[in-house]
Amino acid sequence: MKIVAVEAISYSIPYRTPLHFASGAVHEADHVLVKVTTEGGVVGWADAPPRPYTYGETQRSIVAVVEDVFAPELVGLSVFDREKAQRIMARTIHNECAKGAVDIAMWDCIGKILGQPVSRLLGGFTDHMRVSHMLGFKPAEELLELALGFRERYGITTFKLKTGRHPIGLDVEAARVLREGLGEDVEIYMDANRGWSANDAAEVLRRTDDLGLTFLEEPDDAREVLGRRRLVTQSRIPITADESAPNMGEAAREILTGGANMLAVKTARTGFTESAKVVAFAEAAGVDVYVGNQIDTQVGTVASVVFGAALAHTARRAGELSNFLDMTDDLLAEPLTIKDGAIRVPEVAGVGTQIDPDKLEKYRLR
Ligand code: MUC
Ligand code: MG
């Protein structure tokens, strides 16, 4: 079934609680919906979040690359020809989230055409994903109050603490207050978004050694090659590559050159097709992964749930699937719910990214 249109629709939804982290901040979901239409009128949807501080993409660059560069090449292709679409999009370097969204929207069409949930088509390992909540920069006591609230209300027992601040004592204190307030059974890990040097990170690891943290993500700029390698070699917990591994090739390079020994997999940037290749590489290499958050709306989050639950290697750990709770509204026709610390895979044909037309009309920018 041929693709007849590939469109990019900008929209903006304010956040109730902005998220602050070492590389930037998010006050509104100024994202782009990617819509793929096939002959016969099947429509697939996916969300592309612009993250200029991570990938260099903006809302306008995503619209431009999808509509001006990808669409003319993809129209006329069978929607089942995902690998051909990958090759076409790979001719344009970078633009990770634009490519990821086109792939997911194609998968949504495929699921709808076959009358199957895409999670089943991708592997069908389980029917839910455990949720990890990402905590942005805030005073330690406020972070604890928030985390206790998320545990009480949604049953969430895994938390990512955004770090990378100076003085480093701020983050050490936040981790300690969380551990003492939440107890031993809660999983806590840190993500510094390159905010520290390798030496800062080594000092933080030394000072948090007794806190039972699960892993440390993107402590410093991975291009500081020797510092990063030293950290990976010396750390007692895994060092995770996130923005230093935005695609399959760079994920392999970071692992094989000792820049990291764990990987974040984000469907927002590698879609389903390339994410599956990243996971296969990691599984074969004996490297743990977790499903990360690109500060996703519900449209982005449901894609992460669908992918994460499909494969045994991604379903092992909680995925970051709850930051849409900080938004004032969302676009998904069937809103997601978090119960007992988990989100269930929607039992619908496709990805479950169906859009509420009234909400899209309200928030779209053009
Ligand atoms: C994360 O894991 O880093 C913050 C910046 C970004 O690109 O993603 C978020 C979360
Ligand atoms: Mg990260």
Side-chain angles (χ1 to χ4, degrees):
M1 211 176 254
K2 285 199 168 101
I3 296 173
V4 296
V6 180
E7 296 160 78
I9 303 163
S10 303
Y11 68 92
S12 181
I13 302 178
Y15 267 71
R16 195 181 304 115
T17 315
L19 185 77
H20 293 265
F21 43 97
S23 56
V26 166
H27 296 266
E28 55 183 342
D30 48 355
H31 295 193
V32 178
L33 274 181
V34 171
K35 179 181 180 189
V36 170
T37 309
T38 72
E39 52 189 12
V42 177
V43 174
W45 297 97
D47 198 48
R51 297 285 166 254
Y53 32 79
T54 312
Y55 310 111
E57 290 172 286
T58 66
Q59 196 174 36
R60 285 167 64 181
S61 82
I62 291 173
V63 172
V65 80
V66 169
E67 294 198 338
D68 302 345
V69 183
F70 298 157
E73 297 281 331
L74 295 172
V75 167
L77 203 69
S78 163
V79 79
F80 288 95
D81 288 348
R82 291 177 295 103
E83 197 66 10
K84 284 187 190 155
Q86 293 287 306
R87 292 307 287 262
I88 287 169
M89 292 193 286
R91 284 186 214 137
T92 304
I93 63 163
H94 305 311
N95 292 284
E96 315 290 352
C97 294
K99 292 174 184 172
V102 169
D103 181 64
I104 294 170
M106 286 177 68
W107 271 105
D108 192 30
C109 292
I110 290 169
K112 285 172 177 164
I113 292 165
L114 298 178
Q116 292 291 328
V118 167
S119 205
R120 188 176 295 159
L121 298 176
L122 287 166
F125 180 69
T126 183
D127 60 0
H128 69 280
M129 276 291 284
R130 278 191 304 121
V131 174
S132 164
H133 187 72
M134 182 158 73
L135 297 162
F137 290 171
K138 285 196 193 308
E141 293 300 334
E142 256 180 66
L143 288 172
L144 176 59
E145 205 177 306
L146 269 175
L148 288 169
F150 280 107
R151 181 167 71 179
E152 172 72 21
R153 184 149 178 212
Y154 300 106
I156 296 175
T157 55
T158 305
F159 294 94
K160 160 145 131 183
L161 175 63
K162 283 297 199 186
T163 59
R165 291 180 290 179
H166 290 97
I168 57 175
L170 286 170
D171 293 331
V172 173
E173 187 210 351
R176 190 164 296 282
V177 166
L178 284 179
R179 174 56 77 215
E180 283 167 5
L182 293 166
E184 288 303 307
D185 295 338
V186 163
E187 202 177 306
I188 304 170
Y189 55 98
M190 294 192 285
D191 180 1
N193 285 112
R194 299 160 281 145
W196 296 320
S197 66
N199 288 338
D200 289 340
E203 176 68 7
V204 170
L205 287 173
R206 193 183 62 72
R207 289 166 63 180
T208 55
D209 195 37
D210 61 326
L211 297 183
L213 302 178
T214 320
F215 59 88
L216 168 60
E217 180 171 326
E218 223 61 88
D220 62 332
D221 189 330
R223 290 172 302 184
E224 296 166 357
V225 179
L226 292 182
R228 184 58 102 80
R229 273 191 211 162
R230 193 175 64 243
L231 202 58
V232 171
T233 312
Q234 291 176 357
S235 173
R236 281 150 57 108
I237 58 175
I239 303 294
T240 305
D242 175 13
E243 55 265 47
S244 60
N247 53 49
M248 178 175 62
E250 288 179 65
R253 189 172 61 194
E254 280 310 303
I255 296 297
L256 295 173
T257 58
N261 48 11
M262 183 168 166
L263 289 171
V265 178
K266 292 185 174 175
T267 55
R269 68 180 172 217
T270 35
F272 293 162
T273 302
E274 190 168 347
S275 291
K277 296 177 187 181
V278 174
V279 174
F281 162 75
E283 192 174 357
V287 165
D288 273 11
V289 299
Y290 83 93
V291 171
N293 191 307
Q294 205 52 79
I295 321 173
D296 295 305
T297 62
Q298 293 196 24
V299 184
T301 301
V302 74
S304 298
V305 172
V306 159
F307 181 82
L311 302 174
H313 203 52
T314 42
R316 281 175 62 196
R317 285 182 184 273
E320 292 167 3
L321 303 166
S322 51
N323 284 81
F324 65 81
L325 294 170
D326 293 338
M327 293 172 59
T328 53
D329 203 355
D330 224 302
L331 295 179
L332 212 55
E334 286 295 329
L336 293 175
T337 50
I338 305 174
K339 200 163 166 268
D340 299 330
I343 300 182
R344 299 190 77 77
V345 175
E347 289 172 21
V348 296
V351 178
T353 45
Q354 204 55 38
I355 299 299
D356 179 325
D358 296 333
K359 290 201 169 171
L360 180 54
E361 205 41 51
K362 178 169 174 194
Y363 295 112
R364 70 182 294 161
L365 298 178
R366 66 182 178 90

